[in-house]
Amino acid sequence: MDTRTIARPAPLTLGDGRPATAGWTLDPTKRHINHGSFGAVPIVAQEHQQALRREMEAAPLTWFPALPAKVGAARVGVADFLGASVDQLAMVPNASAGASVVFSSLPVQRGLEIIVTDHGYGAVTMGAERLARRWGGTVRTARIPLDADAQTAHDAVVAEFSDRTALIVMDQITSPTARLLPVQQIAATARAAGIPTLVDAAHVPGLYADPMRDLDCDFWVGNLHKFGCAPRGAAVLVARSPLAQELYPLIDSWGSPYPFPQRFDTQGTVDVTSYLAAATSLGFIEDLWGWSAARDYMTELADYAVEVVADAVTAITGEDSHVDVGMPVNALRLVKLPTGLATTHATADGLRDRVSAELGVEGAFTSLDGIGYVRLSTHVYNTPEDFEHFAEHAVPVLARWAEEERAATS
């Protein structure tokens, strides 16, 4: 396998010289090449969360009345990490929950339209469709070519604008296709037209410094539990327009009389220790490597990984599996699968499960326009061996499965 065009990165280590994988509890019998879906929580953050839970269970009558103040304090550190104003940032369980808050809180506008893209995250698009039904309106889908540059992608969304457009929902990093969208440019055009925008930035926190710089959107949602490595169930909803005061938590509780975002600090009797332990994960990476160096490593490893895997698929199938996504992401990359695999969302999920069970690889498989892809994602605990192993051991099996699938459907 020829990988000479991209340098092979040296794996990161912990401060005591142990491999970076020692800081996590990932199953060592599997290869983990899909950090982007559910993240991975460092041991120190797991331990901090468990300590918080023990405190909660030891004295719940003390814990819960004091909890809103603790959540408010946690927001300060998270806002600083993201370069956001703490007065505009609320904590939510995940990015989809933040989007659901927006969909559930906006005033009813009968007969109006919502614009989404064909690269959107399915669950969020379903939420937009539900809102459109509540409005008695419709959803318009902007079709963006996979290899579209920033101007082409911008123009594809703007082409769907009409005098009935009431909301635009777009991904900063697309989940199924691992590419950026020019959300700054689209949001600016929408602002000039008086159209609110919701940016789904589920993958962004941790991958980019100051991700909202120069981004004039109305709503922005991002997961801390993906590349930020926070305990799962930690995300943010940022609202930067007068519409912020329309937003209420999905759970009505005693914080309802307060303004946004303080009303989100009170959610009743729920476990929000993930919010409180998020700073531990963010600090773990900063203290060991620094976020800038961590991002550099993830990018270098992704450059290497995509070449290794795409070259392997191309060599065995004779078809070029390298993918031009127009606006690539630093730690998320796409490789075209052998023809016949993952042609739908359902079969992509089935392939994910089969690869995990039979090949011992935790991977992400996606589909767009009937074409299947493997989405590679890197983090500080990943090594070149993870992707070399996938190329050497999994790719030949995937090629055989694709051949079998084509024979079965011919």
Side-chain angles (χ1 to χ4, degrees):
M1 184 184 304
D2 182 6
T3 58
R4 291 172 296 176
T5 61
I6 300 291
R8 188 178 191 271
L12 295 181
T13 61
L14 300 179
D16 57 7
R18 290 179 298 159
T21 51
W24 278 260
T25 55
L26 293 165
D27 182 352
T29 68
K30 290 194 173 185
R31 297 286 177 169
H32 300 270
I33 62 171
N34 180 27
H35 181 91
S37 284
F38 301 107
V41 186
I43 293 171
V44 292
Q46 294 181 42
E47 292 174 344
H48 183 198
Q49 185 179 30
Q50 289 305 318
L52 290 168
R53 283 174 169 158
R54 286 193 295 271
E55 183 181 347
M56 175 176 65
E57 297 302 339
L61 192 61
T62 301
W63 173 267
F64 284 101
L67 190 55
K70 294 180 179 180
V71 174
R75 286 194 289 111
V76 175
V78 171
D80 182 64
F81 176 74
L82 294 174
S85 168
V86 69
D87 295 328
Q88 297 174 336
L89 182 147
M91 300 294 293
V92 290
N94 52 52
S96 296
S100 295
V101 164
V102 175
F103 296 148
S104 299
S105 300
L106 291 182
V108 172
Q109 302 184 61
R110 292 293 177 194
L112 296 186
E113 297 174 345
I114 302 170
I115 295 174
V116 301
T117 80
D118 58 343
H119 295 252
Y121 184 62
V124 172
T125 298
M126 291 176 190
E129 292 167 347
R130 177 177 61 84
L131 175 58
R133 290 193 296 270
R134 182 161 63 92
W135 283 353
T138 57
V139 169
R140 297 172 64 93
T141 301
R143 306 290 176 182
I144 300 174
L146 182 57
D147 62 353
D149 61 15
Q151 190 63 49
T152 301
H154 165 272
D155 293 348
V157 175
V158 172
E160 300 298 327
F161 285 18
S162 75
D163 57 5
R164 299 176 62 205
T165 304
L167 181 67
I168 299 167
V169 182
M170 54 187 168
D171 295 55
Q172 195 162 0
I173 294 174
T174 62
S175 178
T177 49
R179 59 158 291 155
L180 291 162
L181 290 181
V183 292
Q184 293 93 333
Q185 189 178 354
I186 296 169
T189 303
R191 178 73 72 194
I195 303 171
T197 51
L198 164 61
V199 174
D200 180 355
H203 291 85
V204 173
L207 279 188
Y208 291 93
D210 299 325
M212 287 172 284
R213 180 185 296 168
D214 303 322
L215 175 52
D216 188 20
C217 62
D218 294 88
F219 311 107
W220 188 93
V221 295
N223 286 319
L224 300 174
H225 68 251
K226 287 183 182 286
F227 287 90
C229 292
R232 294 171 188 87
V236 299
L237 163 61
V238 178
R240 292 172 139 182
S241 77
L243 287 170
Q245 295 310 320
E246 300 286 345
L247 303 181
Y248 281 81
L250 298 176
I251 301 171
D252 287 320
S253 193
W254 293 100
S256 293
Y258 301 131
F260 179 90
Q262 286 83 2
R263 64 174 65 118
F264 282 75
D265 294 346
T266 302
Q267 293 286 284
T269 311
V270 294
D271 182 352
V272 294
T273 53
S274 56
Y275 299 176
L276 308 185
T280 301
S281 291
L282 302 178
F284 171 74
I285 292 171
E286 178 61 36
D287 293 343
L288 273 175
W289 304 288
W291 272 99
S292 179
R295 293 183 189 108
D296 288 346
Y297 174 75
M298 288 187 271
T299 302
E300 292 167 6
L301 183 56
D303 289 342
Y304 180 79
V306 74
E307 179 167 305
V308 168
V309 175
D311 283 355
V313 178
T314 299
I316 203 167
T317 64
E319 301 175 354
D320 188 5
S321 289
H322 299 79
V323 181
D324 178 5
V325 297
M327 299 175 66
V329 181
N330 52 10
L332 284 168
R333 302 301 169 84
L334 214 61
V335 174
K336 182 180 177 295
L337 288 168
T339 301
L341 291 180
T343 56
T344 66
H345 177 76
T347 57
D349 284 351
L351 182 62
R352 172 202 63 202
D353 296 343
R354 187 179 183 187
V355 167
S356 177
E358 298 184 26
L359 303 182
V361 176
E362 297 282 296
F365 298 89
T366 68
S367 179
L368 180 72
D369 295 333
I371 298 175
Y373 302 92
V374 56
R375 191 193 71 190
L376 309 174
S377 54
T378 61
H379 214 281
V380 293
Y381 58 80
N382 283 123
T383 68
E385 287 88 352
D386 292 329
F387 302 95
E388 292 163 353
H389 179 276
F390 181 79
E392 182 178 353
H393 297 281
V395 166
V397 178
L398 291 173
R400 175 166 55 81
W401 289 351
E403 185 177 358
E404 292 169 356
E405 184 65 27
R406 293 193 301 271
T409 56
S410 62

